[in-house]
Amino acid sequence: MSMNRTNKKIVWILLSVLISMMLYACASVSTLPRRASDVNFVDHVSGVPSVRNYDYCANYIDADKETLFEAAKYSLVTNKFDIKETNAVDDVIRGEHGVSARDWNIVAGIYFKEVSNGVAVKIIVRTAVSTSLYRNENGTAKDWSHKIISGIETYLHRNLDKSVTTMQCG
């Protein structure tokens, strides 16, 4: 009888640890900065980005914030993100992708800041439990960041026939 009780206790402890680890590993929109003023508009500079976090910053020369806001929403929807927050006052769009073929969960925040010659756009992507840990040094978070940038540029070129010059921030 006591052996059975001990086994149940061990199973319960193992399940508790497993559930805790799964919840800890989740990427959540709430972990992203809430507004553009909380974001540093420079490229990732502190060493090598982790496999599950990647940020990218670009300056769109001769572009306006409203157009880039629409382009970013278009890009997230095109890349199958569920937009969780759109706030023009705080200059932020945040979305969640959910499960993909290589990631358990993907979240992205896109932040906007008017600069003297256009608009700076900062993209922060976080993934959880990537199955491509050894694919490259930046993992799939970098891939998602580039997909979002590509969607923004597609919107600008195809939908608005705008030729906007882009350069990296920082």
mmCIF file of all heavy atoms in Angstrom, residues 58-88:
data_model
loop_
_atom_site.group_PDB
_atom_site.id
_atom_site.type_symbol
_atom_site.label_atom_id
_atom_site.label_comp_id
_atom_site.label_asym_id
_atom_site.label_seq_id
_atom_site.Cartn_x
_atom_site.Cartn_y
_atom_site.Cartn_z
ATOM 1 N N ALA A 58 14.897 48.959 -38.374
ATOM 2 C CA ALA A 58 15.144 49.571 -39.683
ATOM 3 C C ALA A 58 14.557 50.967 -39.712
ATOM 4 O O ALA A 58 13.516 51.220 -39.102
ATOM 5 C CB ALA A 58 14.527 48.723 -40.791
ATOM 6 N N ASN A 59 15.227 51.856 -40.403
ATOM 7 C CA ASN A 59 14.713 53.196 -40.642
ATOM 8 C C ASN A 59 14.124 53.221 -42.054
ATOM 9 O O ASN A 59 14.812 52.889 -43.019
ATOM 10 C CB ASN A 59 15.834 54.244 -40.556
ATOM 11 C CG ASN A 59 16.184 54.579 -39.140
ATOM 12 O OD1 ASN A 59 15.329 54.629 -38.278
ATOM 13 N ND2 ASN A 59 17.459 54.805 -38.893
ATOM 14 N N TYR A 60 12.874 53.605 -42.152
ATOM 15 C CA TYR A 60 12.222 53.763 -43.444
ATOM 16 C C TYR A 60 12.262 55.246 -43.792
ATOM 17 O O TYR A 60 11.552 56.061 -43.205
ATOM 18 C CB TYR A 60 10.787 53.220 -43.395
ATOM 19 C CG TYR A 60 10.758 51.715 -43.346
ATOM 20 C CD1 TYR A 60 10.843 51.043 -42.138
ATOM 21 C CD2 TYR A 60 10.685 50.977 -44.518
ATOM 22 C CE1 TYR A 60 10.847 49.657 -42.095
ATOM 23 C CE2 TYR A 60 10.679 49.591 -44.482
ATOM 24 C CZ TYR A 60 10.764 48.939 -43.271
ATOM 25 O OH TYR A 60 10.771 47.570 -43.237
ATOM 26 N N ILE A 61 13.110 55.572 -44.752
ATOM 27 C CA ILE A 61 13.335 56.959 -45.147
ATOM 28 C C ILE A 61 12.154 57.440 -45.997
ATOM 29 O O ILE A 61 11.682 56.716 -46.865
ATOM 30 C CB ILE A 61 14.653 57.086 -45.957
ATOM 31 C CG1 ILE A 61 15.772 56.319 -45.275
ATOM 32 C CG2 ILE A 61 14.956 58.540 -46.288
ATOM 33 C CD1 ILE A 61 16.550 56.971 -44.232
ATOM 34 N N ASP A 62 11.707 58.643 -45.751
ATOM 35 C CA ASP A 62 10.596 59.256 -46.490
ATOM 36 C C ASP A 62 9.306 58.446 -46.393
ATOM 37 O O ASP A 62 8.530 58.379 -47.347
ATOM 38 C CB ASP A 62 10.967 59.484 -47.973
ATOM 39 C CG ASP A 62 12.113 60.459 -48.114
ATOM 40 O OD1 ASP A 62 12.211 61.372 -47.269
ATOM 41 O OD2 ASP A 62 12.904 60.308 -49.054
ATOM 42 N N ALA A 63 9.070 57.837 -45.242
ATOM 43 C CA ALA A 63 7.820 57.101 -45.007
ATOM 44 C C ALA A 63 7.091 57.758 -43.849
ATOM 45 O O ALA A 63 7.688 58.464 -43.042
ATOM 46 C CB ALA A 63 8.134 55.650 -44.667
ATOM 47 N N ASP A 64 5.788 57.537 -43.785
ATOM 48 C CA ASP A 64 5.030 58.077 -42.661
ATOM 49 C C ASP A 64 4.581 56.929 -41.748
ATOM 50 O O ASP A 64 4.470 55.779 -42.170
ATOM 51 C CB ASP A 64 3.830 58.900 -43.141
ATOM 52 C CG ASP A 64 2.833 58.078 -43.919
ATOM 53 O OD1 ASP A 64 3.016 57.965 -45.155
ATOM 54 O OD2 ASP A 64 1.903 57.537 -43.308
ATOM 55 N N LYS A 65 4.349 57.264 -40.501
ATOM 56 C CA LYS A 65 4.036 56.265 -39.479
ATOM 57 C C LYS A 65 2.732 55.524 -39.777
ATOM 58 O O LYS A 65 2.661 54.309 -39.589
ATOM 59 C CB LYS A 65 3.981 56.928 -38.106
ATOM 60 C CG LYS A 65 3.923 55.942 -36.970
ATOM 61 C CD LYS A 65 4.185 56.553 -35.610
ATOM 62 C CE LYS A 65 3.275 57.691 -35.305
ATOM 63 N NZ LYS A 65 3.359 58.146 -33.920
ATOM 64 N N GLU A 66 1.723 56.217 -40.264
ATOM 65 C CA GLU A 66 0.433 55.584 -40.538
ATOM 66 C C GLU A 66 0.567 54.496 -41.607
ATOM 67 O O GLU A 66 -0.005 53.415 -41.483
ATOM 68 C CB GLU A 66 -0.613 56.628 -40.967
ATOM 69 C CG GLU A 66 -1.013 57.599 -39.876
ATOM 70 C CD GLU A 66 0.035 58.689 -39.624
ATOM 71 O OE1 GLU A 66 0.884 58.973 -40.512
ATOM 72 O OE2 GLU A 66 0.034 59.246 -38.506
ATOM 73 N N THR A 67 1.324 54.780 -42.654
ATOM 74 C CA THR A 67 1.539 53.801 -43.721
ATOM 75 C C THR A 67 2.286 52.591 -43.189
ATOM 76 O O THR A 67 1.920 51.442 -43.484
ATOM 77 C CB THR A 67 2.315 54.435 -44.894
ATOM 78 O OG1 THR A 67 1.565 55.533 -45.401
ATOM 79 C CG2 THR A 67 2.567 53.433 -46.001
ATOM 80 N N LEU A 68 3.319 52.814 -42.396
ATOM 81 C CA LEU A 68 4.076 51.696 -41.839
ATOM 82 C C LEU A 68 3.248 50.903 -40.838
ATOM 83 O O LEU A 68 3.397 49.690 -40.732
ATOM 84 C CB LEU A 68 5.378 52.189 -41.224
ATOM 85 C CG LEU A 68 6.442 52.498 -42.271
ATOM 86 C CD1 LEU A 68 7.582 53.277 -41.667
ATOM 87 C CD2 LEU A 68 6.936 51.224 -42.920
ATOM 88 N N PHE A 69 2.372 51.565 -40.120
ATOM 89 C CA PHE A 69 1.473 50.887 -39.200
ATOM 90 C C PHE A 69 0.592 49.899 -39.965
ATOM 91 O O PHE A 69 0.444 48.743 -39.571
ATOM 92 C CB PHE A 69 0.615 51.940 -38.473
ATOM 93 C CG PHE A 69 0.246 51.581 -37.072
ATOM 94 C CD1 PHE A 69 1.142 51.748 -36.033
ATOM 95 C CD2 PHE A 69 -1.017 51.079 -36.780
ATOM 96 C CE1 PHE A 69 0.803 51.426 -34.733
ATOM 97 C CE2 PHE A 69 -1.372 50.758 -35.489
ATOM 98 C CZ PHE A 69 -0.465 50.932 -34.456
ATOM 99 N N GLU A 70 0.023 50.350 -41.085
ATOM 100 C CA GLU A 70 -0.809 49.480 -41.919
ATOM 101 C C GLU A 70 0.016 48.359 -42.544
ATOM 102 O O GLU A 70 -0.432 47.209 -42.640
ATOM 103 C CB GLU A 70 -1.529 50.292 -43.004
ATOM 104 C CG GLU A 70 -2.601 51.204 -42.465
ATOM 105 C CD GLU A 70 -3.669 50.472 -41.668
ATOM 106 O OE1 GLU A 70 -4.136 49.405 -42.109
ATOM 107 O OE2 GLU A 70 -4.025 50.979 -40.578
ATOM 108 N N ALA A 71 1.224 48.677 -42.965
ATOM 109 C CA ALA A 71 2.109 47.667 -43.556
ATOM 110 C C ALA A 71 2.456 46.583 -42.537
ATOM 111 O O ALA A 71 2.506 45.393 -42.866
ATOM 112 C CB ALA A 71 3.374 48.327 -44.093
ATOM 113 N N ALA A 72 2.684 46.987 -41.294
ATOM 114 C CA ALA A 72 3.021 46.014 -40.244
ATOM 115 C C ALA A 72 1.831 45.108 -39.930
ATOM 116 O O ALA A 72 1.990 43.895 -39.761
ATOM 117 C CB ALA A 72 3.484 46.746 -38.988
ATOM 118 N N LYS A 73 0.633 45.679 -39.878
ATOM 119 C CA LYS A 73 -0.563 44.855 -39.647
ATOM 120 C C LYS A 73 -0.741 43.860 -40.792
ATOM 121 O O LYS A 73 -1.009 42.685 -40.562
ATOM 122 C CB LYS A 73 -1.810 45.723 -39.492
ATOM 123 C CG LYS A 73 -1.860 46.475 -38.177
ATOM 124 C CD LYS A 73 -3.217 47.093 -37.902
ATOM 125 C CE LYS A 73 -3.535 48.213 -38.831
ATOM 126 N NZ LYS A 73 -4.755 48.955 -38.486
ATOM 127 N N TYR A 74 -0.585 44.346 -42.021
ATOM 128 C CA TYR A 74 -0.671 43.477 -43.194
ATOM 129 C C TYR A 74 0.333 42.328 -43.088
ATOM 130 O O TYR A 74 0.000 41.167 -43.334
ATOM 131 C CB TYR A 74 -0.410 44.302 -44.462
ATOM 132 C CG TYR A 74 -0.166 43.474 -45.688
ATOM 133 C CD1 TYR A 74 -1.222 43.023 -46.468
ATOM 134 C CD2 TYR A 74 1.130 43.147 -46.080
ATOM 135 C CE1 TYR A 74 -0.998 42.256 -47.601
ATOM 136 C CE2 TYR A 74 1.369 42.387 -47.212
ATOM 137 C CZ TYR A 74 0.298 41.936 -47.975
ATOM 138 O OH TYR A 74 0.527 41.173 -49.081
ATOM 139 N N SER A 75 1.560 42.653 -42.710
ATOM 140 C CA SER A 75 2.601 41.642 -42.620
ATOM 141 C C SER A 75 2.275 40.582 -41.568
ATOM 142 O O SER A 75 2.444 39.385 -41.815
ATOM 143 C CB SER A 75 3.948 42.288 -42.296
ATOM 144 O OG SER A 75 4.949 41.306 -42.207
ATOM 145 N N LEU A 76 1.809 41.012 -40.410
ATOM 146 C CA LEU A 76 1.469 40.036 -39.369
ATOM 147 C C LEU A 76 0.340 39.119 -39.825
ATOM 148 O O LEU A 76 0.408 37.894 -39.653
ATOM 149 C CB LEU A 76 1.097 40.738 -38.063
ATOM 150 C CG LEU A 76 2.255 41.370 -37.296
ATOM 151 C CD1 LEU A 76 1.742 42.072 -36.039
ATOM 152 C CD2 LEU A 76 3.316 40.340 -36.934
ATOM 153 N N VAL A 77 -0.697 39.685 -40.424
ATOM 154 C CA VAL A 77 -1.825 38.864 -40.892
ATOM 155 C C VAL A 77 -1.366 37.915 -41.995
ATOM 156 O O VAL A 77 -1.714 36.730 -41.997
ATOM 157 C CB VAL A 77 -2.990 39.764 -41.359
ATOM 158 C CG1 VAL A 77 -4.049 38.949 -42.084
ATOM 159 C CG2 VAL A 77 -3.599 40.495 -40.167
ATOM 160 N N THR A 78 -0.564 38.419 -42.928
ATOM 161 C CA THR A 78 -0.050 37.583 -44.016
ATOM 162 C C THR A 78 0.791 36.425 -43.481
ATOM 163 O O THR A 78 0.747 35.317 -44.024
ATOM 164 C CB THR A 78 0.804 38.436 -44.981
ATOM 165 O OG1 THR A 78 -0.014 39.474 -45.505
ATOM 166 C CG2 THR A 78 1.359 37.605 -46.118
ATOM 167 N N ASN A 79 1.517 36.670 -42.402
ATOM 168 C CA ASN A 79 2.348 35.623 -41.797
ATOM 169 C C ASN A 79 1.593 34.810 -40.746
ATOM 170 O O ASN A 79 2.204 34.114 -39.944
ATOM 171 C CB ASN A 79 3.604 36.250 -41.189
ATOM 172 C CG ASN A 79 4.619 36.597 -42.251
ATOM 173 O OD1 ASN A 79 5.133 35.724 -42.931
ATOM 174 N ND2 ASN A 79 4.887 37.882 -42.423
ATOM 175 N N LYS A 80 0.257 34.928 -40.760
ATOM 176 C CA LYS A 80 -0.639 34.142 -39.910
ATOM 177 C C LYS A 80 -0.507 34.426 -38.417
ATOM 178 O O LYS A 80 -0.653 33.538 -37.584
ATOM 179 C CB LYS A 80 -0.482 32.654 -40.205
ATOM 180 C CG LYS A 80 -0.865 32.294 -41.628
ATOM 181 C CD LYS A 80 -0.739 30.820 -41.881
ATOM 182 C CE LYS A 80 -1.267 30.401 -43.219
ATOM 183 N NZ LYS A 80 -0.736 30.954 -44.395
ATOM 184 N N PHE A 81 -0.215 35.679 -38.082
ATOM 185 C CA PHE A 81 -0.229 36.110 -36.689
ATOM 186 C C PHE A 81 -1.634 36.564 -36.338
ATOM 187 O O PHE A 81 -2.332 37.154 -37.173
ATOM 188 C CB PHE A 81 0.746 37.278 -36.459
ATOM 189 C CG PHE A 81 2.174 36.862 -36.289
ATOM 190 C CD1 PHE A 81 2.956 36.538 -37.385
ATOM 191 C CD2 PHE A 81 2.744 36.811 -35.027
ATOM 192 C CE1 PHE A 81 4.276 36.164 -37.233
ATOM 193 C CE2 PHE A 81 4.067 36.438 -34.865
ATOM 194 C CZ PHE A 81 4.835 36.115 -35.968
ATOM 195 N N ASP A 82 -2.029 36.320 -35.111
ATOM 196 C CA ASP A 82 -3.270 36.851 -34.563
ATOM 197 C C ASP A 82 -2.907 38.147 -33.852
ATOM 198 O O ASP A 82 -2.154 38.124 -32.878
ATOM 199 C CB ASP A 82 -3.878 35.837 -33.584
ATOM 200 C CG ASP A 82 -5.191 36.292 -33.000
ATOM 201 O OD1 ASP A 82 -5.839 37.178 -33.582
ATOM 202 O OD2 ASP A 82 -5.576 35.742 -31.944
ATOM 203 N N ILE A 83 -3.392 39.273 -34.366
ATOM 204 C CA ILE A 83 -3.044 40.556 -33.770
ATOM 205 C C ILE A 83 -3.774 40.689 -32.438
ATOM 206 O O ILE A 83 -4.995 40.662 -32.377
ATOM 207 C CB ILE A 83 -3.361 41.719 -34.718
ATOM 208 C CG1 ILE A 83 -2.492 41.604 -35.973
ATOM 209 C CG2 ILE A 83 -3.139 43.059 -34.023
ATOM 210 C CD1 ILE A 83 -2.769 42.636 -37.032
ATOM 211 N N LYS A 84 -3.002 40.836 -31.376
ATOM 212 C CA LYS A 84 -3.549 40.931 -30.018
ATOM 213 C C LYS A 84 -3.706 42.373 -29.563
ATOM 214 O O LYS A 84 -4.549 42.667 -28.731
ATOM 215 C CB LYS A 84 -2.649 40.185 -29.019
ATOM 216 C CG LYS A 84 -2.539 38.706 -29.283
ATOM 217 C CD LYS A 84 -3.868 38.036 -29.052
ATOM 218 C CE LYS A 84 -3.739 36.539 -29.184
ATOM 219 N NZ LYS A 84 -5.008 35.863 -28.999
ATOM 220 N N GLU A 85 -2.871 43.272 -30.081
ATOM 221 C CA GLU A 85 -2.948 44.675 -29.680
ATOM 222 C C GLU A 85 -2.484 45.560 -30.824
ATOM 223 O O GLU A 85 -1.461 45.315 -31.440
ATOM 224 C CB GLU A 85 -2.069 44.942 -28.456
ATOM 225 C CG GLU A 85 -2.077 46.382 -28.021
ATOM 226 C CD GLU A 85 -1.132 46.696 -26.881
ATOM 227 O OE1 GLU A 85 -0.320 45.825 -26.503
ATOM 228 O OE2 GLU A 85 -1.193 47.828 -26.377
ATOM 229 N N THR A 86 -3.273 46.577 -31.100
ATOM 230 C CA THR A 86 -2.909 47.620 -32.042
ATOM 231 C C THR A 86 -3.166 48.939 -31.334
ATOM 232 O O THR A 86 -4.304 49.244 -30.993
ATOM 233 C CB THR A 86 -3.767 47.547 -33.321
ATOM 234 O OG1 THR A 86 -3.605 46.261 -33.901
ATOM 235 C CG2 THR A 86 -3.364 48.605 -34.316
ATOM 236 N N ASN A 87 -2.106 49.681 -31.076
ATOM 237 C CA ASN A 87 -2.254 50.913 -30.323
ATOM 238 C C ASN A 87 -1.404 52.004 -30.977
ATOM 239 O O ASN A 87 -0.187 52.048 -30.793
ATOM 240 C CB ASN A 87 -1.832 50.686 -28.868
ATOM 241 C CG ASN A 87 -2.134 51.858 -27.986
ATOM 242 O OD1 ASN A 87 -2.129 53.001 -28.421
ATOM 243 N ND2 ASN A 87 -2.383 51.575 -26.717
ATOM 244 N N ALA A 88 -2.074 52.879 -31.732
ATOM 245 C CA ALA A 88 -1.361 53.951 -32.426
ATOM 246 C C ALA A 88 -0.819 54.998 -31.456
ATOM 247 O O ALA A 88 0.177 55.657 -31.752
ATOM 248 C CB ALA A 88 -2.284 54.611 -33.447
#
